[in-house]
Amino acid sequence: MNEVIENREEEKIKKKIDFKIVTFSLGGKEYAIDIMKVKEILKENRFTMVPNTLPFVKGVYNLRGEIIPIIDLREMFMITVEEDAEKEKDILILRLPELVLGVVVDAIDKVVGIAKEDIQPPHPLFGDVNVKYISGVVEVEGKLYIILDVDRIFGEEEVLSASYGKKKEEITERVERVTEVAKPAKQDEELDFSFIKDTLIALKSFYITEVNYEWARRRYREWSDLRREASEPVQLESVKDAEEFLKPFFSPYTSKLWGDDYHNNLLALLPDEYSGVIQVWDIGCGKGYEAYSIACILREKYGKNVIKVWANDSDLLNISMAPNLVLSQVEIPQYFIKNNFVEKYENDYRFKREIKDLIVFEYHDITHLNEYPEMDLIVARDLISFLPPEEQKRMIAEFSDSLKSQGYLMLGENEVPIGSEWKRVSEGNVVLYRKE
Amino acid sequence: MRVEYINPFVEAAFNILKEVLGTELTRGELYLKSTSQPVLGVTAIIGLTGDVEGRVLFDMDEKTALAIASAMNGEELKKLDELAKATITELANMITAQAVTKLSEIGFKFDITPPAIFTGEKMEVSDAAVEALIVPIEMPLGKVEINVAVREKN
């Protein structure tokens, strides 16, 4: 009722009203949205949480049969929120050309009518929100309201389109862009990070994307602390620096036979039985340690099944050594000897014929055409991070296509797959993603 | 391409060329290629069947083909006539046959189809994104590229 009365008052004062805005507060500041974009207003606290989404996505809500995403604008603009989680939240339901969604704000205030000529262009330093997303500023009764351009915030890059095709990285970058004005101190850090990102591409062809973003961010913080302590430059100035930076990225037992812990954890995650041939695709197998480890684990667990491990690498020198890999006793975990998978060869050891016959080592570049049977397990540790972003996306889609349903994907310790079809399962230091 | 297949082809090419031509040769870096590629002018092709499916291409320009054919026949050939073509075809056959023999010694059963030869200008091979191993061989007579595409029968 108040709103209506106030509206009338507004109308009396201002003769000309071009459109109306809904005002609300966010982190103590006043904002507004064009009322034509607002479908309705809601107080609610019960949302269905959706796992694995961005932090500002609160979940989905059933609005009389229509499922809509709920976004917390405060989180999106990185305004700290301190409030009772149980409290009902003020929500604006927005109707945009392509989607309907709800946004959580601190408190919805009122509806006011304004004239077009009263809207002033935004000042570059205005508010917590990047100028790009502000359509103007208007003064009403001595208060300044920042009018948000919701079409640009949510529409432009289809943040929430059902396919969720847009990448987290882009969105994160955008959120960072949004907060640039507000947090000048953070700017240097962002710049440093983006330089490191570029140098890693140039020096090691390592691409930071959503596949490894969390690791990269964590490593960057750790790295910049370490380097500052040692009074050394944060930036990577040589291949050696880049290698040092990437050192902790690599998964356990890279270029080694898998140890007993890793082996036991993987055993625990694999299904109790398979019917028919077990097909495995091991990509980037190098000299073959990984492929042999997998072959032995499967041979031990699935004695009756036919096992086929397709092991590729695009490094000719490494993979040429794989079929006849010779091991010294110290590099063989007890388990391989105990199960009789290796045999004495002069002073050293090598794998028995029956294990070798399970593996096909191929000199192959996976960015070319991959013609393989449907797989039960794909192992691609620390591999896709070294492909350009488009290739990364394409490869993960290809993994998904080549896996049987309920098949497993094993990425590097610090990598996560893109897409919603993956279910994370883990045991100790082994993480697999099951295709659902 | 299965690692075990690579060496037999490289070695066979090296041995045969050295034997029949009696010249120095150097092997370029091996690499993989999956795009359609221009053909230099004279190309012999041999198909592979058996445990696998695939083919081998021997690609060179006309000048090199004539020089090789001349050297193998012990006489100067002026143009790419039937004799010259038959000589190149035979060379391709010898190399592939030796590679297949080496492969069968280590337990892989391949059969080969009779060779064919293509000549002409501005030719291109495009076999739908098949990944091929390229073995470039440099000789004083010219350059020969051996292009091997083999895949396992699933």
Side-chain angles (χ1 to χ4, degrees), chain A residues 198-217:
Chain A
D198 293 344
T199 4
L200 284 174
I201 296 172
L203 296 175
K204 295 303 293 176
S205 99
F206 182 92
Y207 295 84
I208 297 178
T209 65
E210 61 191 300
V211 166
N212 47 39
Y213 186 81
E214 271 181 41
W215 174 82
R217 225 41 239 212

Side-chain angles (χ1 to χ4, degrees), chain A residues 173-185:
Chain A
E173 268 181 14
R174 196 149 62 89
V175 172
E176 280 162 13
R177 261 194 338 258
V178 166
T179 52
E180 262 168 32
V181 179
K183 296 183 174 125

